[in-house]
Amino acid sequence: DARVTQTPRHKVTEMGQEVTMRCQPILGHNTVFWYRQTMMQGLELLAYFRNRAPLDDSGMPKDRFSAEMPDATLATLKIQPSEPRDSAVYFCASGFRGAYEQYFGPGTRLTVT
Amino acid sequence: TQLLEQSPQFLSIQEGENLTVYCNSSSVFSSLQWYRQEPGEGPVLLVTVVTGGEVKKLKRLTFQFGDARKDSSLHITAAQPGDTGLYLCAVLNTGNQFYFGTGTSLTVIP
């Protein structure tokens, strides 16, 4: 049963610290998405990659957020420096038909104090 | 303003009742998807609709895409406690951008 995995599941950090979240997409999927979910804003697309190349990162605050795919089995989302307003659940999703079918991971719950 | 408005925002019903939730916009979409999200988990894709007027059924769930491809509805027949969750619609617009709706939180009381 192939699944998207995300680590860590929970992260508590202090303001100003660097946070790195990792995602392992389903093997064979060529598209990876990063989302942020909050009660106020709902589910927001931060960035997405196809064949490891970034296609759209317009939803991501460029000054502190960065997303990469070092290889086909790993996607990372980094926040540096983190701020309390970054507290949210961050989801990674992968697919093989672009945005038509996305399979979500369990999320990383980030709390920045 | 949200691109996609879902209604109602919250819904609490008794087991066995029927319900309909809606996803509306003023924009035209290439495709529309419905997801269900349970607490502590990521959203799970239920269905994708691509043709105006299309109706798809998934057991007790019936999904309809509006004729003009601007809106959609999800009807659940004889709701069960296992249907409890956050129902999200999501769209791919003609500019190839992807958005999620605001969500409908459904609680089915045994």
Side-chain angles (χ1 to χ4, degrees):
Chain A
D1 185 20
R3 298 186 182 204
V4 174
T5 58
Q6 290 186 247
T7 56
R9 291 294 311 273
H10 302 273
K11 176 73 175 179
V12 179
T13 192
E14 293 183 347
M15 182 173 62
Q17 296 298 306
E18 178 179 299
V19 175
T20 299
M21 291 168 270
R22 293 177 175 79
C23 166
Q24 182 172 14
I26 294 173
L27 191 63
H29 284 187
N30 66 347
T31 312
V32 173
F33 303 82
W34 281 105
Y35 291 90
R36 175 171 62 186
Q37 188 174 38
T38 62
M39 288 294 292
M40 292 298 294
Q41 299 296 326
L43 203 56
E44 303 172 281
L45 178 64
L46 297 175
Y48 87 94
F49 295 77
R50 181 169 297 155
N51 297 322
R52 296 176 55 201
L55 286 194
D56 185 357
D57 61 1
S58 59
M60 201 164 65
K62 302 291 192 306
D63 56 337
R64 299 183 299 108
F65 285 61
S66 61
E68 295 180 344
M69 279 201 74
D71 60 60
T73 64
L74 177 65
T76 62
L77 179 66
K78 188 175 295 186
I79 307 174
Q80 168 62 22
S82 58
E83 297 180 1
R85 59 179 168 152
D86 300 329
S87 297
V89 181
Y90 290 81
F91 287 103
C92 172
S94 71
F96 57 90
R97 292 182 61 206
Y100 284 97
E101 290 184 18
Q102 298 184 50
Y103 297 83
F104 280 76
T108 293
R109 181 174 293 276
L110 174 65
T111 303
V112 183
T113 61
Chain B
T1 56
Q2 288 280 354
L3 178 67
L4 292 173
E5 294 287 344
Q6 290 189 242
S7 61
Q9 188 176 358
F10 298 96
L11 185 58
S12 181
I13 62 169
Q14 294 290 329
E15 182 176 358
E17 292 184 352
N18 301 332
L19 66 114
T20 303
V21 298
Y22 301 91
C23 175
N24 295 298
S25 177
S26 57
S27 301
V28 176
F29 305 116
S30 305
S31 66
L32 185 145
Q33 299 174 340
W34 283 96
Y35 289 78
R36 179 170 63 217
Q37 184 179 18
E38 298 185 11
E41 301 293 331
V44 175
L45 178 66
L46 297 174
V47 76
T48 300
V49 286
V50 296
T51 306
E54 183 175 1
V55 177
K56 283 192 173 180
K57 293 194 174 185
L58 184 66
K59 297 183 181 178
R60 295 176 293 100
L61 278 60
T62 302
F63 305 86
Q64 183 160 9
F65 201 13
D67 291 342
R69 291 184 293 137
K70 293 182 178 182
D71 50 65
S72 180
S73 63
L74 159 59
H75 181 80
I76 302 178
T77 303
Q80 298 177 0
D83 297 327
T84 293
L86 179 67
Y87 288 81
L88 296 157
C89 63
V91 295
L92 188 65
N93 70 8
T94 52
N96 225 33
Q97 294 168 313
F98 196 70
Y99 298 95
F100 273 88
T102 50
T104 291
S105 180
L106 171 66
T107 302
V108 182
I109 303 165

